[in-house]
Amino acid sequence: NAFIQGSIRTYDKEILEEIKQKIKLIAESSALIFGCAAEVELKDEYPATINHPIQAGHIERLAKKYIGEEHFSSEGLPLSGSEDMSYYL
């Protein structure tokens, strides 16, 4: 027996569905090659957190105004941190 656990993060629902299908295909095909069976259970627990553009822009302007543009960077964005905030936005 084997158990694999993880999370999938994407900002596009179609890509998420494609990834889930490929995970299932790879697991089942790999098991079949070795004469085994695979059971794949994928749960949708938290959707991606996507900030509202107008509100995010307002916060960006405030940050640049009050902490200085030299201390603000959008490099490396978007981030996929804990997605439980998606239920609040």
Side-chain angles (χ1 to χ4, degrees):
N1 290 337
F3 177 80
I4 299 173
Q5 184 174 341
S7 62
I8 303 167
R9 300 186 188 273
T10 177
Y11 297 106
D12 185 310
K13 290 180 182 179
E14 289 179 19
I15 291 174
L16 176 61
E17 288 307 313
E18 185 177 336
I19 290 170
K20 289 165 50 177
Q21 289 173 4
K22 290 188 179 189
I23 288 172
K24 186 173 172 56
L25 177 65
I26 290 167
E28 291 173 348
S29 299
S30 298
L32 186 63
I33 289 170
F34 292 102
C36 303
E39 180 181 323
V40 179
E41 181 181 337
L42 299 168
K43 298 178 185 177
D44 293 328
E45 294 189 7
Y46 295 100
T49 300
I50 300 172
N51 294 322
H52 300 286
I54 292 171
Q55 290 82 354
H58 179 65
I59 296 301
E60 180 178 332
R61 285 188 301 280
L62 289 173
K64 288 177 180 179
K65 179 178 179 180
Y66 291 104
I67 66 170
E69 189 142 357
E70 69 276 7
H71 298 291
F72 179 85
S73 174
S74 59
E75 185 178 324
L77 296 178
L79 295 174
S80 293
S82 176
E83 300 298 351
D84 56 345
M85 284 301 295
S86 62
Y87 288 112
Y88 295 100
L89 298 178

